[in-house]
């Protein structure tokens, strides 16, 4: 297998994965599931496409260096970005606890408002 053939195969594999994720995205209902659908694009599909482009015969060494830098940045920051977005979604969708009203001095809810057994 030549480098051009391997590059074409890698680029197409990444493209197919990205398109599959894009087609699945409208069918998801909640934001957390959407993050699971989108995560493979930044962690797998983009590096596959970039590796395929780097192996193409028209690529020079500086093109490969740029593509490698982009792939490293996407692979390194993609999972962290998805995890951070997931935490934000979790915080936004969980129910917020309602604060309990604190009893005031005249409401009878504190110890001062109660009678002891001997006073009754």
């Amino acid at each position: 297998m030549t480098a051009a053939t391997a590059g074409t195969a890698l680029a197409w594999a990444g493209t197919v994965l990205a398109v599959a994720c894009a087609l699945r995205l409208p069918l998801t209902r909640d934001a957390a599931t959407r993050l699971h659908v989108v995560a493979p694009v930044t962690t797998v599909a983009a590096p596959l496409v970039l590796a395929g482009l780097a192996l193409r015969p028209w690529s020079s060494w500086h093109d490969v260096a740029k593509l490698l830098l982009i792939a490293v940045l996407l692979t390194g920051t993609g999972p962290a970005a998805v995890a951070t977005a997931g935490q934000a979604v979790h915080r936004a969708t969980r129910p917020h606890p309602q604060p309990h009203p604190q009893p005031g001095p005249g409401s009878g809810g504190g110890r001062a408002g109660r009678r002891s057994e001997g006073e009754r």
Side-chain angles (χ1 to χ4, degrees):
M1 182 185 290
T2 66
T5 308
T8 302
L10 287 173
W12 275 109
T15 303
V16 166
L17 181 62
V19 168
C21 290
L23 291 175
R24 175 72 173 105
L25 191 60
L27 303 175
T28 57
R29 293 188 177 165
D30 61 338
T33 308
R34 287 180 185 219
L35 286 172
H36 284 288
V37 172
V38 175
V41 174
T42 58
T43 58
V44 180
L48 280 175
V49 170
L50 292 170
L53 291 176
L55 291 175
R56 298 297 298 161
W58 54 264
S59 297
S60 63
W61 69 270
H62 53 83
D63 291 336
V64 173
K66 290 177 197 176
L67 291 171
L68 179 65
L69 178 64
I70 293 169
V72 167
L73 289 174
L74 274 176
T75 306
T77 60
V82 170
T84 304
Q87 290 173 351
V89 166
H90 177 69
R91 283 190 208 114
T93 57
R94 71 178 175 198
H96 297 288
Q98 297 296 324
H100 296 291
Q102 298 295 327
S107 64
R111 186 160 180 84
R114 293 186 186 164
R115 295 184 192 176
S116 64
E117 289 291 322
E119 293 177 3
R120 290 186 185 173

